[in-house]
Amino acid sequence: MRFDAAQIEPMPWKNGGGTTRELAVREGADGLIWRLSLAEIVQNGPFSAFSGLWRVHTIIAGKGLRLYSTDAELEAKPLTPLEFDGGLALEAQLIDGPCRAVNVICDPRYVQVKAQVHQGDFAGQAGDLVLVIDGALHLGRDHFVAAQGCVLEAPAQGVAEGTVLHVQIKALKEAM
């Protein structure tokens, strides 16, 4: 499944404090299994909490965020995937201005995710998520540019001529 952020309408965050573009989603009978989205973060404020879910947050433009609560303090740095409990009630403080972030929200009962920023030779497995941050990605006859990507339908190899976010998804059990 191919996606292009420029072709997807933004929607309000769960908490109403900003907008996101839902790039790809997989649901089961019990609800969300995983979701890949692209968020614009333009002001300080509360982060949406997703109780029972896991989050991988990657800043792809801007200087990053400080995320904090009475129990936790995290820093989201550019091009460095940050994993944390999606249920944490966090406040976000921008570091030197607005930023753009890719979020993977998943149900840890069904999947494990691992995100990495990648350049050069690329290899992915069926079910992996790929998003071009800048430059281009060539996977056989498929070509992607910034803000485009796909859910791989089969193993794929190619070359990233720029920066790519690669999210590996490992199924733990079948969602009912």
Side-chain angles (χ1 to χ4, degrees), residues 7-171:
Q7 303 298 316
I8 299 169
E9 288 295 318
M11 60 186 196
W13 288 351
K14 180 180 170 185
N15 70 10
T19 61
T20 191
R21 296 171 194 266
E22 189 173 273
L23 304 176
V25 65
R26 179 165 178 227
E27 294 182 331
D30 292 338
L32 181 74
I33 296 172
W34 58 258
R35 180 186 90 176
L36 177 71
S37 62
L38 179 63
E40 300 294 331
I41 307 168
V42 297
Q43 63 187 16
N44 298 333
F47 229 51
S48 296
F50 293 90
S51 182
L53 302 176
W54 192 249
R55 181 184 288 229
V56 181
H57 183 80
T58 307
I59 300 293
I60 64 168
K63 303 281 182 164
L65 294 171
R66 286 187 188 87
L67 301 169
Y68 59 92
S69 70
T70 55
D71 301 326
E73 189 169 319
L74 306 167
E75 188 169 338
K77 299 177 182 177
L79 303 178
T80 305
L82 175 65
E83 298 185 29
F84 56 95
D85 180 343
L88 290 175
L90 297 169
E91 290 287 322
Q93 180 182 23
L94 293 165
I95 298 172
D96 293 330
C99 56
R100 179 176 294 144
V102 176
N103 285 289
V104 180
I105 308 290
C106 69
D107 189 329
R109 296 175 301 170
Y110 301 115
V111 294
Q112 286 180 336
V113 297
K114 179 183 178 188
Q116 55 190 341
V117 174
H118 188 80
Q119 296 177 328
D121 292 340
F122 175 87
Q125 299 300 313
D128 288 0
L129 307 172
V130 183
L131 173 68
V132 177
I133 297 169
D134 63 55
L137 174 64
H138 307 282
L139 296 177
R141 288 186 249 169
D142 291 324
H143 301 280
F144 304 90
V145 295
Q148 295 179 342
C150 68
V151 179
L152 294 177
E153 296 176 9
Q157 294 183 359
V159 177
E161 295 173 349
T163 309
V164 172
L165 181 67
H166 178 197
V167 181
Q168 298 168 306
I169 299 179
K170 178 182 176 186

